[in-house]
PDB file of all heavy atoms in Angstrom:
ATOM      1  N   GLU A   7    -174.105  52.255  -3.542  1.00 90.00           N
ATOM      2  CA  GLU A   7    -174.243  52.931  -2.211  1.00 90.00           C
ATOM      3  C   GLU A   7    -173.119  52.604  -1.271  1.00 90.00           C
ATOM      4  O   GLU A   7    -172.592  53.403  -0.531  1.00 90.00           O
ATOM      5  CB  GLU A   7    -175.585  52.551  -1.584  1.00 90.00           C
ATOM      6  CG  GLU A   7    -176.751  53.268  -2.169  1.00 90.00           C
ATOM      7  CD  GLU A   7    -176.664  54.827  -1.988  1.00 90.00           C
ATOM      8  OE1 GLU A   7    -176.318  55.270  -0.894  1.00 90.00           O
ATOM      9  OE2 GLU A   7    -176.925  55.506  -2.980  1.00 90.00           O
ATOM     10  N   LYS A   8    -172.774  51.234  -1.226  1.00 91.00           N
ATOM     11  CA  LYS A   8    -171.674  50.814  -0.397  1.00 91.00           C
ATOM     12  C   LYS A   8    -170.382  51.522  -0.755  1.00 91.00           C
ATOM     13  O   LYS A   8    -169.563  51.915   0.088  1.00 91.00           O
ATOM     14  CB  LYS A   8    -171.526  49.274  -0.438  1.00 91.00           C
ATOM     15  CG  LYS A   8    -172.595  48.538   0.302  1.00 91.00           C
ATOM     16  CD  LYS A   8    -172.407  47.074   0.268  1.00 91.00           C
ATOM     17  CE  LYS A   8    -173.499  46.326   0.917  1.00 91.00           C
ATOM     18  NZ  LYS A   8    -173.345  44.915   0.829  1.00 91.00           N
ATOM     19  N   ALA A   9    -170.178  51.613  -2.077  1.00 91.00           N
ATOM     20  CA  ALA A   9    -168.937  52.310  -2.531  1.00 91.00           C
ATOM     21  C   ALA A   9    -168.931  53.732  -2.131  1.00 91.00           C
ATOM     22  O   ALA A   9    -167.901  54.285  -1.727  1.00 91.00           O
ATOM     23  CB  ALA A   9    -168.827  52.101  -4.035  1.00 91.00           C
ATOM     24  N   LYS A  10    -170.090  54.416  -2.249  1.00 92.00           N
ATOM     25  CA  LYS A  10    -170.169  55.818  -1.842  1.00 92.00           C
ATOM     26  C   LYS A  10    -169.921  55.974  -0.365  1.00 92.00           C
ATOM     27  O   LYS A  10    -169.153  56.833   0.108  1.00 92.00           O
ATOM     28  CB  LYS A  10    -171.563  56.363  -2.176  1.00 92.00           C
ATOM     29  CG  LYS A  10    -171.731  56.686  -3.633  1.00 92.00           C
ATOM     30  CD  LYS A  10    -173.127  57.298  -3.797  1.00 92.00           C
ATOM     31  CE  LYS A  10    -173.392  57.646  -5.287  1.00 92.00           C
ATOM     32  NZ  LYS A  10    -174.689  58.181  -5.466  1.00 92.00           N
ATOM     33  N   GLN A  11    -170.492  55.067   0.476  1.00 93.00           N
ATOM     34  CA  GLN A  11    -170.334  55.086   1.900  1.00 93.00           C
ATOM     35  C   GLN A  11    -168.847  54.828   2.280  1.00 93.00           C
ATOM     36  O   GLN A  11    -168.329  55.578   3.139  1.00 93.00           O
ATOM     37  CB  GLN A  11    -171.209  54.082   2.611  1.00 93.00           C
ATOM     38  CG  GLN A  11    -172.660  54.461   2.561  1.00 93.00           C
ATOM     39  CD  GLN A  11    -173.576  53.328   3.215  1.00 93.00           C
ATOM     40  OE1 GLN A  11    -173.100  52.244   3.506  1.00 93.00           O
ATOM     41  NE2 GLN A  11    -174.845  53.649   3.384  1.00 93.00           N
ATOM     42  N   LYS A  12    -168.218  53.907   1.625  1.00 93.00           N
ATOM     43  CA  LYS A  12    -166.834  53.558   1.858  1.00 93.00           C
ATOM     44  C   LYS A  12    -165.945  54.714   1.529  1.00 93.00           C
ATOM     45  O   LYS A  12    -165.026  55.127   2.253  1.00 93.00           O
ATOM     46  CB  LYS A  12    -166.411  52.300   1.110  1.00 93.00           C
ATOM     47  CG  LYS A  12    -165.052  51.832   1.463  1.00 93.00           C
ATOM     48  CD  LYS A  12    -164.794  50.528   0.802  1.00 93.00           C
ATOM     49  CE  LYS A  12    -163.421  49.945   1.240  1.00 93.00           C
ATOM     50  NZ  LYS A  12    -163.133  48.636   0.708  1.00 93.00           N
ATOM     51  N   SER A  13    -166.240  55.377   0.409  1.00 95.00           N
ATOM     52  CA  SER A  13    -165.488  56.518  -0.079  1.00 95.00           C
ATOM     53  C   SER A  13    -165.658  57.664   0.906  1.00 95.00           C
ATOM     54  O   SER A  13    -164.696  58.320   1.267  1.00 95.00           O
ATOM     55  CB  SER A  13    -165.952  56.983  -1.462  1.00 95.00           C
ATOM     56  OG  SER A  13    -165.306  58.158  -1.897  1.00 95.00           O
ATOM     57  N   ALA A  14    -166.851  57.924   1.347  1.00 95.00           N
ATOM     58  CA  ALA A  14    -167.140  58.993   2.325  1.00 95.00           C
ATOM     59  C   ALA A  14    -166.434  58.695   3.622  1.00 95.00           C
ATOM     60  O   ALA A  14    -165.874  59.625   4.280  1.00 95.00           O
ATOM     61  CB  ALA A  14    -168.661  59.137   2.529  1.00 95.00           C
ATOM     62  N   GLN A  15    -166.448  57.456   4.059  1.00 96.00           N
ATOM     63  CA  GLN A  15    -165.742  57.045   5.270  1.00 96.00           C
ATOM     64  C   GLN A  15    -164.249  57.326   5.152  1.00 96.00           C
ATOM     65  O   GLN A  15    -163.586  57.815   6.092  1.00 96.00           O
ATOM     66  CB  GLN A  15    -166.021  55.560   5.555  1.00 96.00           C
ATOM     67  CG  GLN A  15    -165.652  55.159   6.948  1.00 96.00           C
ATOM     68  CD  GLN A  15    -166.564  55.639   8.012  1.00 96.00           C
ATOM     69  OE1 GLN A  15    -167.691  56.054   7.828  1.00 96.00           O
ATOM     70  NE2 GLN A  15    -166.035  55.749   9.248  1.00 96.00           N
ATOM     71  N   GLN A  16    -163.678  56.971   4.000  1.00 97.00           N
ATOM     72  CA  GLN A  16    -162.258  57.145   3.774  1.00 97.00           C
ATOM     73  C   GLN A  16    -161.914  58.653   3.841  1.00 97.00           C
ATOM     74  O   GLN A  16    -160.936  59.047   4.386  1.00 97.00           O
ATOM     75  CB  GLN A  16    -161.789  56.558   2.462  1.00 97.00           C
ATOM     76  CG  GLN A  16    -161.718  55.026   2.557  1.00 97.00           C
ATOM     77  CD  GLN A  16    -161.347  54.402   1.232  1.00 97.00           C
ATOM     78  OE1 GLN A  16    -161.585  55.021   0.157  1.00 97.00           O
ATOM     79  NE2 GLN A  16    -160.777  53.154   1.294  1.00 97.00           N
ATOM     80  N   GLU A  17    -162.766  59.483   3.130  1.00 97.00           N
ATOM     81  CA  GLU A  17    -162.547  60.950   3.170  1.00 97.00           C
ATOM     82  C   GLU A  17    -162.608  61.491   4.586  1.00 97.00           C
ATOM     83  O   GLU A  17    -161.824  62.285   4.942  1.00 97.00           O
ATOM     84  CB  GLU A  17    -163.627  61.599   2.314  1.00 97.00           C
ATOM     85  CG  GLU A  17    -163.367  61.442   0.762  1.00 97.00           C
ATOM     86  CD  GLU A  17    -164.520  62.098  -0.034  1.00 97.00           C
ATOM     87  OE1 GLU A  17    -165.098  63.061   0.431  1.00 97.00           O
ATOM     88  OE2 GLU A  17    -164.704  61.642  -1.157  1.00 97.00           O
ATOM     89  N   LEU A  18    -163.582  60.988   5.407  1.00 97.00           N
ATOM     90  CA  LEU A  18    -163.695  61.438   6.765  1.00 97.00           C
ATOM     91  C   LEU A  18    -162.435  61.041   7.523  1.00 97.00           C
ATOM     92  O   LEU A  18    -161.906  61.898   8.299  1.00 97.00           O
ATOM     93  CB  LEU A  18    -164.918  60.783   7.407  1.00 97.00           C
ATOM     94  CG  LEU A  18    -165.190  61.107   8.843  1.00 97.00           C
ATOM     95  CD1 LEU A  18    -165.452  62.574   8.988  1.00 97.00           C
ATOM     96  CD2 LEU A  18    -166.316  60.268   9.437  1.00 97.00           C
ATOM     97  N   LYS A  19    -161.980  59.857   7.346  1.00 98.00           N
ATOM     98  CA  LYS A  19    -160.754  59.400   8.069  1.00 98.00           C
ATOM     99  C   LYS A  19    -159.560  60.240   7.633  1.00 98.00           C
ATOM    100  O   LYS A  19    -158.744  60.641   8.530  1.00 98.00           O
ATOM    101  CB  LYS A  19    -160.483  57.920   7.757  1.00 98.00           C
ATOM    102  CG  LYS A  19    -161.267  56.953   8.553  1.00 98.00           C
ATOM    103  CD  LYS A  19    -160.841  55.523   8.225  1.00 98.00           C
ATOM    104  CE  LYS A  19    -161.655  54.528   9.033  1.00 98.00           C
ATOM    105  NZ  LYS A  19    -161.216  53.167   8.787  1.00 98.00           N
ATOM    106  N   GLN A  20    -159.449  60.571   6.357  1.00 98.00           N
ATOM    107  CA  GLN A  20    -158.311  61.381   5.850  1.00 98.00           C
ATOM    108  C   GLN A  20    -158.395  62.765   6.470  1.00 98.00           C
ATOM    109  O   GLN A  20    -157.379  63.313   6.958  1.00 98.00           O
ATOM    110  CB  GLN A  20    -158.336  61.450   4.372  1.00 98.00           C
ATOM    111  CG  GLN A  20    -157.807  60.205   3.702  1.00 98.00           C
ATOM    112  CD  GLN A  20    -157.924  60.253   2.176  1.00 98.00           C
ATOM    113  OE1 GLN A  20    -158.651  61.094   1.596  1.00 98.00           O
ATOM    114  NE2 GLN A  20    -157.149  59.356   1.543  1.00 98.00           N
ATOM    115  N   ARG A  21    -159.621  63.345   6.493  1.00 98.00           N
ATOM    116  CA  ARG A  21    -159.763  64.683   7.076  1.00 98.00           C
ATOM    117  C   ARG A  21    -159.463  64.724   8.574  1.00 98.00           C
ATOM    118  O   ARG A  21    -158.761  65.626   9.043  1.00 98.00           O
ATOM    119  CB  ARG A  21    -161.198  65.168   6.735  1.00 98.00           C
ATOM    120  CG  ARG A  21    -161.319  66.642   7.083  1.00 98.00           C
ATOM    121  CD  ARG A  21    -162.773  67.101   6.979  1.00 98.00           C
ATOM    122  NE  ARG A  21    -163.501  66.331   8.031  1.00 98.00           N
ATOM    123  CZ  ARG A  21    -164.772  66.583   8.311  1.00 98.00           C
ATOM    124  NH1 ARG A  21    -165.452  67.526   7.692  1.00 98.00           N
ATOM    125  NH2 ARG A  21    -165.344  65.881   9.240  1.00 98.00           N
ATOM    126  N   GLN A  22    -159.970  63.651   9.229  1.00 98.00           N
ATOM    127  CA  GLN A  22    -159.707  63.610  10.726  1.00 98.00           C
ATOM    128  C   GLN A  22    -158.204  63.441  10.936  1.00 98.00           C
ATOM    129  O   GLN A  22    -157.680  64.072  11.899  1.00 98.00           O
ATOM    130  CB  GLN A  22    -160.450  62.451  11.324  1.00 98.00           C
ATOM    131  CG  GLN A  22    -161.955  62.671  11.458  1.00 98.00           C
ATOM    132  CD  GLN A  22    -162.696  61.486  12.016  1.00 98.00           C
ATOM    133  OE1 GLN A  22    -162.261  60.375  11.876  1.00 98.00           O
ATOM    134  NE2 GLN A  22    -163.786  61.787  12.620  1.00 98.00           N
ATOM    135  N   ARG A  23    -157.546  62.665  10.120  1.00 98.00           N
ATOM    136  CA  ARG A  23    -156.085  62.427  10.341  1.00 98.00           C
ATOM    137  C   ARG A  23    -155.346  63.774  10.116  1.00 98.00           C
ATOM    138  O   ARG A  23    -154.478  64.129  10.866  1.00 98.00           O
ATOM    139  CB  ARG A  23    -155.618  61.397   9.347  1.00 98.00           C
ATOM    140  CG  ARG A  23    -154.099  61.146   9.492  1.00 98.00           C
ATOM    141  CD  ARG A  23    -153.689  59.991   8.651  1.00 98.00           C
ATOM    142  NE  ARG A  23    -154.009  58.807   9.290  1.00 98.00           N
ATOM    143  CZ  ARG A  23    -153.644  57.569   8.926  1.00 98.00           C
ATOM    144  NH1 ARG A  23    -152.873  57.423   7.833  1.00 98.00           N
ATOM    145  NH2 ARG A  23    -153.990  56.498   9.547  1.00 98.00           N
ATOM    146  N   ALA A  24    -155.750  64.476   9.099  1.00 98.00           N
ATOM    147  CA  ALA A  24    -155.130  65.770   8.724  1.00 98.00           C
ATOM    148  C   ALA A  24    -155.374  66.760   9.901  1.00 98.00           C
ATOM    149  O   ALA A  24    -154.443  67.485  10.257  1.00 98.00           O
ATOM    150  CB  ALA A  24    -155.660  66.385   7.440  1.00 98.00           C
ATOM    151  N   GLU A  25    -156.532  66.749  10.469  1.00 98.00           N
ATOM    152  CA  GLU A  25    -156.852  67.673  11.609  1.00 98.00           C
ATOM    153  C   GLU A  25    -156.039  67.245  12.814  1.00 98.00           C
ATOM    154  O   GLU A  25    -155.534  68.115  13.524  1.00 98.00           O
ATOM    155  CB  GLU A  25    -158.364  67.593  11.962  1.00 98.00           C
ATOM    156  CG  GLU A  25    -159.235  68.274  10.938  1.00 98.00           C
ATOM    157  CD  GLU A  25    -160.714  68.108  11.178  1.00 98.00           C
ATOM    158  OE1 GLU A  25    -161.101  67.476  12.186  1.00 98.00           O
ATOM    159  OE2 GLU A  25    -161.505  68.659  10.406  1.00 98.00           O
ATOM    160  N   ILE A  26    -155.870  65.983  13.039  1.00 98.00           N
ATOM    161  CA  ILE A  26    -155.086  65.478  14.222  1.00 98.00           C
ATOM    162  C   ILE A  26    -153.598  65.903  13.979  1.00 98.00           C
ATOM    163  O   ILE A  26    -153.013  66.427  14.951  1.00 98.00           O
ATOM    164  CB  ILE A  26    -155.194  63.992  14.399  1.00 98.00           C
ATOM    165  CG1 ILE A  26    -156.647  63.638  14.903  1.00 98.00           C
ATOM    166  CG2 ILE A  26    -154.108  63.451  15.311  1.00 98.00           C
ATOM    167  CD1 ILE A  26    -156.980  62.161  14.871  1.00 98.00           C
ATOM    168  N   TYR A  27    -153.083  65.725  12.832  1.00 98.00           N
ATOM    169  CA  TYR A  27    -151.712  66.164  12.542  1.00 98.00           C
ATOM    170  C   TYR A  27    -151.515  67.651  12.780  1.00 98.00           C
ATOM    171  O   TYR A  27    -150.571  68.110  13.345  1.00 98.00           O
ATOM    172  CB  TYR A  27    -151.295  65.770  11.149  1.00 98.00           C
ATOM    173  CG  TYR A  27    -150.963  64.273  11.011  1.00 98.00           C
ATOM    174  CD1 TYR A  27    -151.164  63.630   9.792  1.00 98.00           C
ATOM    175  CD2 TYR A  27    -150.492  63.500  12.066  1.00 98.00           C
ATOM    176  CE1 TYR A  27    -150.913  62.262   9.613  1.00 98.00           C
ATOM    177  CE2 TYR A  27    -150.244  62.129  11.914  1.00 98.00           C
ATOM    178  CZ  TYR A  27    -150.380  61.529  10.698  1.00 98.00           C
ATOM    179  OH  TYR A  27    -150.225  60.259  10.568  1.00 98.00           O
ATOM    180  N   ALA A  28    -152.468  68.440  12.271  1.00 98.00           N
ATOM    181  CA  ALA A  28    -152.425  69.880  12.426  1.00 98.00           C
ATOM    182  C   ALA A  28    -152.466  70.262  13.880  1.00 98.00           C
ATOM    183  O   ALA A  28    -151.654  71.128  14.334  1.00 98.00           O
ATOM    184  CB  ALA A  28    -153.556  70.545  11.622  1.00 98.00           C
ATOM    185  N   LEU A  29    -153.360  69.652  14.657  1.00 98.00           N
ATOM    186  CA  LEU A  29    -153.468  69.922  16.073  1.00 98.00           C
ATOM    187  C   LEU A  29    -152.212  69.522  16.777  1.00 98.00           C
ATOM    188  O   LEU A  29    -151.725  70.222  17.646  1.00 98.00           O
ATOM    189  CB  LEU A  29    -154.673  69.171  16.704  1.00 98.00           C
ATOM    190  CG  LEU A  29    -154.940  69.380  18.159  1.00 98.00           C
ATOM    191  CD1 LEU A  29    -155.214  70.830  18.442  1.00 98.00           C
ATOM    192  CD2 LEU A  29    -156.093  68.565  18.557  1.00 98.00           C
ATOM    193  N   ASN A  30    -151.675  68.400  16.437  1.00 98.00           N
ATOM    194  CA  ASN A  30    -150.431  67.926  17.066  1.00 98.00           C
ATOM    195  C   ASN A  30    -149.273  68.927  16.793  1.00 98.00           C
ATOM    196  O   ASN A  30    -148.538  69.239  17.699  1.00 98.00           O
ATOM    197  CB  ASN A  30    -150.075  66.572  16.455  1.00 98.00           C
ATOM    198  CG  ASN A  30    -148.954  65.911  17.246  1.00 98.00           C
ATOM    199  OD1 ASN A  30    -148.717  66.200  18.388  1.00 98.00           O
ATOM    200  ND2 ASN A  30    -148.204  65.050  16.592  1.00 98.00           N
ATOM    201  N   ARG A  31    -149.209  69.464  15.549  1.00 98.00           N
ATOM    202  CA  ARG A  31    -148.161  70.443  15.223  1.00 98.00           C
ATOM    203  C   ARG A  31    -148.360  71.743  16.060  1.00 98.00           C
ATOM    204  O   ARG A  31    -147.348  72.197  16.678  1.00 98.00           O
ATOM    205  CB  ARG A  31    -148.265  70.750  13.750  1.00 98.00           C
ATOM    206  CG  ARG A  31    -147.136  71.480  13.188  1.00 98.00           C
ATOM    207  CD  ARG A  31    -147.101  71.500  11.617  1.00 98.00           C
ATOM    208  NE  ARG A  31    -148.370  71.547  10.975  1.00 98.00           N
ATOM    209  CZ  ARG A  31    -148.926  70.565  10.285  1.00 98.00           C
ATOM    210  NH1 ARG A  31    -148.307  69.418  10.149  1.00 98.00           N
ATOM    211  NH2 ARG A  31    -150.101  70.729   9.664  1.00 98.00           N
ATOM    212  N   VAL A  32    -149.599  72.171  16.189  1.00 98.00           N
ATOM    213  CA  VAL A  32    -149.857  73.379  16.991  1.00 98.00           C
ATOM    214  C   VAL A  32    -149.475  73.175  18.428  1.00 98.00           C
ATOM    215  O   VAL A  32    -148.900  73.985  19.073  1.00 98.00           O
ATOM    216  CB  VAL A  32    -151.342  73.816  16.866  1.00 98.00           C
ATOM    217  CG1 VAL A  32    -151.729  74.873  17.906  1.00 98.00           C
ATOM    218  CG2 VAL A  32    -151.626  74.293  15.460  1.00 98.00           C
ATOM    219  N   MET A  33    -149.880  71.983  18.979  1.00 98.00           N
ATOM    220  CA  MET A  33    -149.611  71.711  20.422  1.00 98.00           C
ATOM    221  C   MET A  33    -148.116  71.569  20.604  1.00 98.00           C
ATOM    222  O   MET A  33    -147.611  71.977  21.699  1.00 98.00           O
ATOM    223  CB  MET A  33    -150.340  70.407  20.832  1.00 98.00           C
ATOM    224  CG  MET A  33    -151.841  70.582  20.830  1.00 98.00           C
ATOM    225  SD  MET A  33    -152.457  71.955  21.895  1.00 98.00           S
ATOM    226  CE  MET A  33    -152.100  71.228  23.534  1.00 98.00           C
ATOM    227  N   THR A  34    -147.365  70.996  19.717  1.00 98.00           N
ATOM    228  CA  THR A  34    -145.992  70.844  19.835  1.00 98.00           C
ATOM    229  C   THR A  34    -145.280  72.236  19.817  1.00 98.00           C
ATOM    230  O   THR A  34    -144.378  72.496  20.654  1.00 98.00           O
ATOM    231  CB  THR A  34    -145.332  70.043  18.663  1.00 98.00           C
ATOM    232  OG1 THR A  34    -146.028  68.703  18.694  1.00 98.00           O
ATOM    233  CG2 THR A  34    -143.859  69.783  18.797  1.00 98.00           C
ATOM    234  N   GLU A  35    -145.713  73.096  18.933  1.00 98.00           N
ATOM    235  CA  GLU A  35    -145.162  74.493  18.926  1.00 98.00           C
ATOM    236  C   GLU A  35    -145.474  75.202  20.248  1.00 98.00           C
ATOM    237  O   GLU A  35    -144.587  75.816  20.807  1.00 98.00           O
ATOM    238  CB  GLU A  35    -145.772  75.271  17.801  1.00 98.00           C
ATOM    239  CG  GLU A  35    -145.265  74.810  16.451  1.00 98.00           C
ATOM    240  CD  GLU A  35    -146.016  75.463  15.316  1.00 98.00           C
ATOM    241  OE1 GLU A  35    -146.818  76.393  15.513  1.00 98.00           O
ATOM    242  OE2 GLU A  35    -145.801  75.053  14.123  1.00 98.00           O
ATOM    243  N   LEU A  36    -146.684  75.062  20.729  1.00 98.00           N
ATOM    244  CA  LEU A  36    -147.065  75.670  22.021  1.00 98.00           C
ATOM    245  C   LEU A  36    -146.187  75.144  23.193  1.00 98.00           C
ATOM    246  O   LEU A  36    -145.699  75.917  24.015  1.00 98.00           O
ATOM    247  CB  LEU A  36    -148.540  75.449  22.322  1.00 98.00           C
ATOM    248  CG  LEU A  36    -149.048  75.976  23.660  1.00 98.00           C
ATOM    249  CD1 LEU A  36    -148.951  77.534  23.695  1.00 98.00           C
ATOM    250  CD2 LEU A  36    -150.497  75.573  23.870  1.00 98.00           C
ATOM    251  N   GLU A  37    -146.042  73.854  23.214  1.00 98.00           N
ATOM    252  CA  GLU A  37    -145.252  73.196  24.198  1.00 98.00           C
ATOM    253  C   GLU A  37    -143.774  73.707  24.172  1.00 98.00           C
ATOM    254  O   GLU A  37    -143.179  74.057  25.245  1.00 98.00           O
ATOM    255  CB  GLU A  37    -145.240  71.668  24.032  1.00 98.00           C
ATOM    256  CG  GLU A  37    -144.499  70.917  25.165  1.00 98.00           C
ATOM    257  CD  GLU A  37    -144.531  69.418  24.949  1.00 98.00           C
ATOM    258  OE1 GLU A  37    -144.955  68.952  23.889  1.00 98.00           O
ATOM    259  OE2 GLU A  37    -144.177  68.717  25.927  1.00 98.00           O
ATOM    260  N   GLN A  38    -143.233  73.874  22.969  1.00 98.00           N
ATOM    261  CA  GLN A  38    -141.843  74.427  22.804  1.00 98.00           C
ATOM    262  C   GLN A  38    -141.814  75.827  23.340  1.00 98.00           C
ATOM    263  O   GLN A  38    -140.795  76.237  23.996  1.00 98.00           O
ATOM    264  CB  GLN A  38    -141.482  74.257  21.304  1.00 98.00           C
ATOM    265  CG  GLN A  38    -139.996  74.619  21.157  1.00 98.00           C
ATOM    266  CD  GLN A  38    -139.049  73.710  21.831  1.00 98.00           C
ATOM    267  OE1 GLN A  38    -139.191  72.528  21.760  1.00 98.00           O
ATOM    268  NE2 GLN A  38    -137.999  74.269  22.512  1.00 98.00           N
ATOM    269  N   GLN A  39    -142.823  76.629  22.968  1.00 98.00           N
ATOM    270  CA  GLN A  39    -142.817  78.057  23.419  1.00 98.00           C
ATOM    271  C   GLN A  39    -142.852  78.124  24.974  1.00 98.00           C
ATOM    272  O   GLN A  39    -142.097  78.927  25.547  1.00 98.00           O
ATOM    273  CB  GLN A  39    -144.005  78.773  22.807  1.00 98.00           C
ATOM    274  CG  GLN A  39    -143.906  79.075  21.333  1.00 98.00           C
ATOM    275  CD  GLN A  39    -145.198  79.619  20.852  1.00 98.00           C
ATOM    276  OE1 GLN A  39    -146.207  79.845  21.518  1.00 98.00           O
ATOM    277  NE2 GLN A  39    -145.211  79.911  19.517  1.00 98.00           N
ATOM    278  N   GLN A  40    -143.700  77.303  25.517  1.00 97.00           N
ATOM    279  CA  GLN A  40    -143.782  77.277  27.031  1.00 97.00           C
ATOM    280  C   GLN A  40    -142.525  76.816  27.626  1.00 97.00           C
ATOM    281  O   GLN A  40    -142.051  77.353  28.685  1.00 97.00           O
ATOM    282  CB  GLN A  40    -144.964  76.431  27.443  1.00 97.00           C
ATOM    283  CG  GLN A  40    -146.322  77.066  27.127  1.00 97.00           C
ATOM    284  CD  GLN A  40    -147.521  76.214  27.500  1.00 97.00           C
ATOM    285  OE1 GLN A  40    -147.356  74.967  27.669  1.00 97.00           O
ATOM    286  NE2 GLN A  40    -148.675  76.740  27.589  1.00 97.00           N
ATOM    287  N   PHE A  41    -141.852  75.862  27.049  1.00 97.00           N
ATOM    288  CA  PHE A  41    -140.626  75.334  27.586  1.00 97.00           C
ATOM    289  C   PHE A  41    -139.526  76.395  27.471  1.00 97.00           C
ATOM    290  O   PHE A  41    -138.757  76.584  28.442  1.00 97.00           O
ATOM    291  CB  PHE A  41    -140.191  74.055  26.770  1.00 97.00           C
ATOM    292  CG  PHE A  41    -138.922  73.486  27.287  1.00 97.00           C
ATOM    293  CD1 PHE A  41    -138.846  72.842  28.524  1.00 97.00           C
ATOM    294  CD2 PHE A  41    -137.779  73.485  26.434  1.00 97.00           C
ATOM    295  CE1 PHE A  41    -137.639  72.332  29.007  1.00 97.00           C
ATOM    296  CE2 PHE A  41    -136.568  72.977  26.951  1.00 97.00           C
ATOM    297  CZ  PHE A  41    -136.539  72.407  28.173  1.00 97.00           C
ATOM    298  N   ASP A  42    -139.443  77.143  26.341  1.00 97.00           N
ATOM    299  CA  ASP A  42    -138.449  78.149  26.207  1.00 97.00           C
ATOM    300  C   ASP A  42    -138.733  79.258  27.265  1.00 97.00           C
ATOM    301  O   ASP A  42    -137.777  79.752  27.858  1.00 97.00           O
ATOM    302  CB  ASP A  42    -138.571  78.804  24.781  1.00 97.00           C
ATOM    303  CG  ASP A  42    -138.081  77.809  23.712  1.00 97.00           C
ATOM    304  OD1 ASP A  42    -137.368  76.853  24.045  1.00 97.00           O
ATOM    305  OD2 ASP A  42    -138.453  78.065  22.548  1.00 97.00           O
ATOM    306  N   ALA A  43    -139.993  79.627  27.495  1.00 96.00           N
ATOM    307  CA  ALA A  43    -140.337  80.637  28.449  1.00 96.00           C
ATOM    308  C   ALA A  43    -139.900  80.128  29.874  1.00 96.00           C
ATOM    309  O   ALA A  43    -139.330  80.930  30.688  1.00 96.00           O
ATOM    310  CB  ALA A  43    -141.837  80.938  28.493  1.00 96.00           C
TER     311      ALA A  43
END
């Protein structure tokens, strides 16, 4: 059970990190577009 919980926690962290990176990329692109405008 502990191993399953740890694995699930790691998967959650990886997913959250991927989402944060994706959001950061989108926000950087938006900022660049606004700066160009």
Side-chain angles (χ1 to χ4, degrees):
E7 282 299 316
K8 284 181 183 179
K10 282 182 182 180
Q11 287 176 354
K12 190 173 182 178
S13 176
Q15 192 72 22
Q16 285 177 337
E17 286 177 26
L18 178 64
K19 281 184 179 181
Q20 286 176 340
R21 192 187 61 172
Q22 286 176 335
R23 178 174 284 189
E25 288 175 1
I26 289 169
Y27 285 149
L29 181 60
N30 190 25
R31 192 166 36 249
V32 168
M33 294 302 289
T34 302
E35 290 172 7
L36 177 63
E37 184 180 12
Q38 186 63 45
Q39 289 172 0
Q40 290 177 341
F41 180 70
D42 291 342

